[in-house]
Amino acid sequence: MPEGDTVLQTAKRLHGALAGQELTRSDLRVPRFATADLSGRGVLEVAARGKHLLTRVEGGLTLHSHLRMDGAWRVFAQGERWRGGPAHQIRAILSTATHTAVGYRLPVLELLRTEDEERAVGHLGPDLLGPGWDPDLALRNLLAAPARPLGEALLDQRNLAGIGNIYKCELCFMARATPWLPVGELPPRTAALLVTTAKQLLEANRDRPVRITTAAVRPRTGTGPAPRPRRPVDDLWVYGRAHRPCLRCGTPVRTAEQDARPTYWCPHCQTGPAPHS
């Protein structure tokens, strides 16, 4: 599932291509909205809210989409060949005189009144990249269920919006805690730093191309020896590094599933419960 910074980049690309222009074509290929036609309406803006995309058009309407695991929006100049998947995977087409935005494999696509957007995104916690970011509320949300595993709490968008599986693993490493540690067992200072570091990570990557790196933000919590010097190829601390040496201590990184997602951690650097297999 894309991280919040990747969704924000997608919103910026869509906004740059569509905002301020009139739609010349609108094709929503989902049964509920198959007859809806937005052509002739101007696009006001495309905004991100956590991992949700909100395309607002004239007449008080919003096209709400969510990428989840496999969805993607691609932008093409008029006349450019579309690339992103076979035609049967296209769920939305929005064209202006200069560009076409094509939504592939979108699991969530709905048209709603702009005034009703909160019905779709009102459940979200503070947006790590949004204007209403509230670190104190995010921390309270994160700690509201003390027995909940840290990794699950970080991924719950109702606590704070924007963290995906990559950042979950990296943040747990930075906190020196396994993703299965009950979140209430985090030292208070570590929990507060976790929220701050999450925002730093997303901000450090929001203007990068799709690639994610955590090299710009070093682990700041816990004790022990300083991390080894980073190399350009070492963009992530543990994610995707199963059986490779931990960049801090050299112990092989382990992997297991948590909530049906691959999860990575260092059994030496991170304390707390973990699967035996």
Side-chain angles (χ1 to χ4, degrees):
M1 183 178 293
E3 316 281 333
D5 51 0
T6 302
V7 176
L8 181 61
Q9 291 172 15
T10 300
K12 288 181 177 180
R13 287 196 298 273
L14 290 170
H15 182 87
L18 303 177
Q21 299 191 61
E22 181 179 293
L23 291 174
T24 58
R25 180 185 179 186
S26 162
D27 186 358
L28 305 182
R29 299 181 180 180
V30 292
R32 184 180 174 190
F33 302 104
T35 60
D37 187 4
L38 300 176
S39 56
R41 299 174 186 259
V43 178
L44 303 177
E45 65 177 330
V46 182
R49 178 85 176 269
K51 299 182 182 182
H52 298 252
L53 288 161
L54 303 169
T55 302
R56 298 172 179 132
V57 300
E58 290 177 338
L61 294 177
T62 294
L63 184 64
H64 166 233
S65 59
H66 195 297
L67 306 180
R68 290 193 179 162
M69 295 296 293
D70 299 318
W73 277 99
R74 302 294 176 88
V75 175
F76 306 99
Q78 290 300 347
E80 184 180 2
R81 184 173 64 88
W82 296 357
R83 303 173 305 279
H88 72 266
Q89 293 182 349
I90 295 174
R91 297 292 176 267
I93 301 171
L94 300 175
S95 293
T96 69
T98 59
H99 291 88
T100 295
V102 184
Y104 290 90
R105 301 172 299 278
L106 300 175
V108 176
L109 185 69
E110 62 174 343
L111 191 63
L112 62 157
R113 304 289 309 178
T114 301
E115 63 187 18
D116 295 331
E117 283 181 3
E118 288 301 297
R119 178 174 62 81
V121 296
H123 65 286
L124 298 175
D127 187 342
L128 284 153
L129 294 176
W133 169 244
D134 185 338
D136 294 330
L137 176 57
L139 181 60
R140 290 197 299 273
N141 291 347
L142 196 65
L143 299 176
R148 192 174 192 187
L150 173 59
E152 292 182 12
L154 287 171
L155 282 180
D156 191 336
Q157 303 299 295
R158 296 170 297 181
N159 292 336
L160 63 172
I163 294 175
N165 197 44
I166 297 176
Y167 286 134
K168 176 200 81 172
C169 297
E170 298 291 284
L171 286 165
C172 289
F173 177 80
M174 292 179 174
R176 288 183 174 266
T178 70
W180 293 271
L181 179 78
V183 67
E185 295 184 18
L186 283 174
R189 182 174 179 274
T190 299
L193 276 174
L194 198 61
V195 171
T196 302
T197 304
K199 183 171 179 60
Q200 288 179 329
L201 286 177
L202 268 73
E203 287 182 336
N205 283 283
R206 65 182 171 189
D207 297 322
R208 293 175 179 267
V210 175
R211 186 173 185 173
I212 292 175
T213 176
T214 55
V217 180
R218 293 178 178 272
R220 299 173 55 192
T221 60
T223 59
R228 297 179 179 183
R230 303 289 291 173
R231 299 174 296 162
V233 297
D234 294 327
D235 293 316
L236 299 172
W237 293 104
V238 289
Y239 186 87
R241 294 182 54 85
H243 312 302
R244 296 174 62 188
C246 170
L247 293 168
R248 175 190 276 125
C249 73
T251 302
V253 171
R254 293 180 60 187
T255 183
E257 282 199 357
Q258 182 182 44
D259 196 21
R261 294 177 175 88
T263 297
Y264 303 84
W265 79 102
C266 172
H268 179 267
C269 293
Q270 295 171 252
T271 61
H276 294 293
S277 57

